[in-house]
Amino acid sequence: MNPLFLTVALLLGSAAVIYLACEFFVNGVEWVGRRFAVGEQATGSILAAFGTALPESVVTFVAVVFGATAAQKQIGIGAALGGPLVLSTIAYATVGVVLILCRTQLPKTAAIRADFKNLSRDQGWFLVIFAGKIALGVVAFAFKPWLGALFLAAYGAYFWKEMRGEGSLEEDELEPLKLTPQAAEPKTWVAVVQTLLALAVIFLASRYFVKQLDVLGPALGIKPQLLALLLSPIATELPETLNAIIWVRQGKHRLALANISGAMMIQATVPTALGLFFTPWILDRSLLVGAAVTALAVAAMFLAFRRGMISRGFLAAMAGFYVLFAAIVWGFHLG
């Protein structure tokens, strides 16, 4: 069998496994949120986001802590910058595309406008934190590694705010827990077990997906740094993207948007802290271009959420920012 064909087949197979595991994960995490009386937004932005952010966080951790060369550590920095880029462009665009395919319009109610305003605050805080991480990437000074603690503290503050938020999943009817479909109210421990098992499968399948990308990159003549910036983040953000597809398909766009927003906050803080702790955290021109495009995309989402102007077409159009970034970076690669 052709090695390239086999790699692509394994890539698609692992993506299918991730999707099926995400079906179990979102079902389980919704029940965990209900059993622990966690609000709907916090279920998406904290519980789901924390779990699905593990793959990309592990990629960054392994690269920056165990990387033997500067190039390997640069891959970790690329993953830390690439995650927010993919989430702010492709993940939001996926929500818009699925809404279009399902012929579903976003409701225009007072409650939805309030949700959008909350999400705009998340985008605003993300921009502030993101600007800080980029500013640190263009200067060098002795105590820079210690500033990683500030990024962990920033996520701690976000976690505290979200968990104290109002709202309840009990306003919506949930599908039966997949492990116990006959039970109207599943036991808490069963919901937790299903969520953790699904998360383990997502984690392992995501790592395998990234491994196949590592094989595919050289076969296509793509440099490791370019792979880390262009393709690896798409792979590691696959769980969030697939979660969004599942929730939008179920009519739960609030959970989908909250999951993306929460994952962005994790990506703005935790991988950055790791990068500051274990690398010089100096950004090259490709990373700076990615940072600029991410900031533009998030600024557009901030203004749209703030004004309540979110539509499925606007969300789908966010993919244009990623296309712009890919074109510029590919130009660097060819040059």
Side-chain angles (χ1 to χ4, degrees):
M1 183 180 292
N2 187 301
L4 182 60
F5 178 81
L6 178 61
T7 299
V8 173
L10 291 173
L11 196 70
L12 295 176
S14 56
V17 171
I18 293 171
Y19 181 83
L20 293 174
C22 283
E23 289 270 9
F24 280 80
F25 177 78
V26 298
N27 172 251
V29 81
E30 285 182 300
W31 276 109
V32 170
R34 171 171 290 187
R35 303 303 290 177
F36 287 97
V38 176
E40 183 175 57
Q41 182 162 317
T43 296
S45 64
I46 297 297
L47 298 183
F50 183 80
T52 54
L54 278 178
E56 58 267 30
S57 297
V58 168
V59 169
T60 301
F61 177 76
V62 171
V64 300
V65 176
F66 300 105
T69 66
Q72 290 174 341
K73 290 183 180 293
Q74 192 70 9
I75 289 176
I77 297 175
L81 267 293
L85 172 65
V86 170
L87 287 168
S88 62
T89 57
I90 293 177
Y92 277 127
T94 299
V95 174
V97 170
V98 175
L99 285 169
I100 292 171
L101 293 177
C102 294
R103 298 181 180 181
T104 302
Q105 294 281 359
L106 287 171
K108 298 179 180 180
T109 64
I112 295 301
R113 285 194 294 272
D115 286 339
F116 287 165
K117 196 165 185 179
N118 288 335
L119 290 173
S120 77
R121 284 196 289 268
D122 288 352
Q123 305 296 310
W125 277 110
F126 174 89
L127 279 174
V128 171
I129 295 169
F130 193 73
K133 73 186 281 184
I134 300 310
L136 291 174
V138 296
V139 294
F141 50 90
F143 62 89
K144 185 194 289 189
W146 294 99
L147 298 181
L150 295 179
F151 288 88
L152 295 180
Y155 184 72
Y158 173 76
F159 179 94
W160 181 80
K161 177 185 78 71
E162 290 294 293
M163 293 303 288
R164 284 172 55 88
E166 297 179 356
S168 173
L169 276 172
E170 293 171 353
E171 297 173 0
D172 299 319
E173 183 178 350
L174 302 185
E175 293 183 355
L177 190 70
K178 292 185 181 296
L179 286 185
T180 55
Q182 304 303 321
E185 290 287 334
K187 295 181 179 179
T188 302
W189 72 267
V190 180
V192 171
V193 167
Q194 176 178 306
T195 303
L196 293 178
L197 286 176
L199 191 57
V201 174
I202 291 170
F203 175 79
L204 294 173
S206 295
R207 296 289 295 146
Y208 195 76
F209 191 100
V210 172
K211 183 179 179 181
Q212 297 310 309
L213 275 182
D214 289 340
V215 175
L216 186 63
L220 298 177
I222 300 176
K223 295 179 181 178
Q225 290 87 346
L226 191 63
L227 180 73
L229 204 54
L230 280 178
L231 298 183
S232 290
I234 295 178
T236 54
E237 303 299 339
L238 197 59
E240 287 91 343
T241 305
L242 294 180
N243 281 354
I245 292 174
I246 294 167
W247 270 321
V248 173
R249 222 185 60 229
Q250 295 175 351
K252 299 174 181 177
H253 64 275
R254 295 167 65 184
L255 275 169
L257 293 173
N259 186 203
I260 296 171
S261 180
M264 286 177 62
M265 288 301 294
I266 293 177
Q267 289 305 302
T269 53
V270 177
T272 304
L274 293 173
L276 287 168
F277 288 148
F278 298 104
T279 75
W281 192 258
I282 297 296
L283 309 181
D284 62 21
R285 63 176 183 173
S286 295
L287 293 173
L288 290 173
V289 169
V293 172
T294 301
L296 287 173
V298 176
M301 291 300 301
F302 170 77
L303 293 174
F305 276 132
R306 193 75 176 172
R307 298 176 180 177
M309 296 172 59
I310 297 295
S311 69
R312 56 188 188 175
F314 176 84
L315 290 170
M318 295 301 293
F321 285 101
Y322 190 82
V323 173
L324 172 64
F325 163 74
I328 295 173
V329 174
W330 191 258
F332 290 163
H333 176 69
L334 294 178

